[in-house]
Amino acid sequence: MAPNRKHTALTLCSLLCAAALLLSACGKKAAPETVATTVPPETTVVTAPETTAAPTLSEGQVEYKGKVYNPREGIQTLLLMGLDKYERPEDAIGYTNKLQSDFLLLLVIDENAKTVDLLHLNRDTMTQIRRLGIGGDAAGTFTGQLALAHTYGSGGSDSCLNAVKAVSTLLDGVKIDHYMTLTMDAVGIINDLVGGVPVTVLDDFTALDPSLEQGKEVTLQGDQTLLYVRTRLGLEDSSNLRRMERQRQYLTALYDKLMACSRADDGFLARTLLKVSGSMVSDCTVNQLEALGTLLEECTVNPIRYLEGEAVQGEEYIEFYVNEDSLQDTVMDLFYREA
């Protein structure tokens, strides 16, 4: 690989991750001590006839809906998180912080099939979260919004790992290999460097910006970008589900603009990455990013998917309960193959 191509692979990987992360959402948030009092809808358990013998499973195999599955081989996973503060805290004290992971996207990269699946997770998802006590040691768990997992820790790698643990727990213990975070101050930077991002406005923002009329085609510029991907309060549909739809729309359009700019200018990605690098934290080494970037260039990126569920009003905040069938179907599809 020629040197300039090698560098492009590295910057492509990092910048695409940054693009995915920059869709941080603010909205109303739960305090770290909030504990859910509602429970997910009941699920119907169907008992197999007594005459049906259970299949014999080898190590690592699982049974689902009467079929046997093997773990999918040759995959890498990367959790991308967008943090809801403009800047990272300096000299964080203790093992709590105010940085919530308001945007979460899990990349599942299949090295054999050369595909990338993207799973967009709702920040309001109720799941088990690990508390960190004095010295950063685990101090029990509580049920809370997924976004809160990052608030336990100093705001650095320990917080990232706590969020990784929460996502893994939500997805039935699947392994997450790497993580990357970005604070939302990078949103406007990347958006304006690509010359703005075109979208068809999905909601009526005219009370906040007269130019953002529902159904109108606009090219988002400057502060409009954060307004479009962050706002939910004050809109007709103020749910995070609607906001997530706008985020997926924006991310898809941003990807197209990034690739167009990269094709027109070999140095574009490197310069853009330099602009936002101070907002990112990752456990990936330079060599890992380089290898991942090279792999991503060879892959087909599938449409963004998400877990179905129900958003309900809790005692104080919105709580999202994942549909168990949607969760299990998604985990099996992304991480297993029929034997």
Side-chain angles (χ1 to χ4, degrees):
M1 181 180 292
N4 62 336
R5 180 66 170 171
K6 184 175 182 179
H7 186 59
T8 299
L10 170 58
T11 55
L12 174 62
C13 170
S14 300
L15 190 54
L16 288 183
C17 291
L21 292 170
L22 57 81
L23 304 177
S24 301
C26 279
K28 185 180 289 186
K29 308 173 185 68
E33 299 302 320
T34 298
V35 178
T37 57
T38 52
V39 297
E42 293 184 358
T43 55
T44 301
V45 178
V46 179
T47 304
E50 294 183 1
T51 56
T52 302
T56 301
L57 302 179
S58 301
E59 184 177 357
Q61 290 185 324
V62 298
E63 180 190 358
Y64 185 60
K65 293 184 177 180
K67 297 181 179 179
V68 176
Y69 292 82
N70 291 321
R72 189 170 161 186
E73 297 181 353
I75 64 171
Q76 292 188 53
T77 51
L78 174 67
L79 179 62
L80 309 175
M81 292 175 281
L83 306 182
D84 66 349
K85 299 294 180 184
Y86 279 95
E87 297 178 354
R88 294 182 181 279
E90 294 184 3
D91 301 323
I93 300 175
Y95 286 89
T96 59
N97 66 88
K98 296 181 180 181
L99 294 172
Q100 297 187 19
S101 51
D102 273 0
F103 178 84
L104 302 102
L105 188 73
L106 182 65
L107 276 71
V108 183
I109 307 164
D110 191 321
E111 300 180 31
N112 298 323
K114 295 295 188 292
T115 59
V116 180
D117 286 294
L118 308 171
L119 179 60
H120 190 189
L121 298 169
N122 192 327
R123 56 92 63 213
D124 293 335
T125 301
M126 302 301 288
T127 190
Q128 285 294 303
I129 295 173
R130 180 178 55 181
R131 299 180 191 272
L132 298 182
I134 298 175
D137 296 326
T141 62
F142 70 101
T143 299
Q145 294 170 319
L146 182 59
L148 298 178
H150 190 276
T151 66
Y152 285 87
S154 64
S157 61
D158 51 355
S159 293
C160 293
L161 290 172
N162 207 47
V164 164
K165 173 66 175 177
V167 172
S168 176
T169 298
L170 172 68
L171 299 178
D172 291 340
V174 300
K175 181 183 178 182
I176 298 175
D177 299 306
H178 298 290
Y179 62 79
M180 185 177 289
T181 70
L182 188 79
T183 51
M184 65 182 170
D185 49 324
V187 177
I189 295 175
I190 297 179
N191 183 88
D192 290 352
L193 284 173
V194 300
V197 175
V199 298
T200 299
V201 181
L202 296 181
D203 296 292
D204 183 11
F205 284 82
T206 53
L208 304 173
D209 185 331
S211 67
L212 296 181
E213 181 181 344
Q214 188 173 18
K216 184 179 179 180
E217 294 185 6
V218 301
T219 297
L220 297 173
Q221 301 283 357
D223 293 340
Q224 283 184 325
T225 310
L226 278 175
L227 180 69
Y228 191 72
V229 300
R230 287 175 54 203
T231 303
R232 60 171 168 172
L233 299 181
L235 301 180
E236 182 177 356
D237 185 342
S238 61
S239 71
N240 193 48
L241 297 176
R242 185 63 173 177
R243 180 172 57 181
M244 289 173 66
E245 185 177 349
R246 295 198 306 273
Q247 292 172 351
R248 290 190 291 270
Q249 176 205 33
Y250 177 80
L251 179 57
T252 301
L254 175 60
Y255 174 84
D256 292 339
K257 289 296 296 283
L258 281 168
M259 293 304 95
C261 291
S262 177
R263 287 191 291 269
D265 179 357
D266 287 341
F268 174 79
L269 291 177
R271 292 194 303 275
T272 304
L273 177 62
L274 183 61
K275 293 280 188 179
V276 300
S277 59
S279 301
M280 292 195 298
V281 168
S282 177
D283 67 333
C284 292
T285 66
V286 171
N287 288 338
Q288 287 171 327
L289 283 174
E290 177 186 322
L292 186 57
T294 302
L295 177 59
L296 286 174
E297 288 187 325
E298 301 171 353
C299 290
T300 298
V301 180
N302 293 324
I304 302 173
R305 64 172 75 190
Y306 56 93
L307 299 174
E308 296 178 357
E310 181 182 13
V312 301
Q313 179 63 54
E315 290 187 344
E316 294 185 75
Y317 305 102
I318 296 295
E319 301 170 353
F320 181 76
Y321 291 97
V322 172
N323 178 278
E324 188 64 23
D325 288 338
S326 175
L327 172 63
Q328 293 301 322
D329 286 346
T330 300
V331 169
M332 296 306 298
D333 188 46
L334 291 180
F335 298 98
Y336 292 87
R337 286 291 178 263
E338 188 174 346

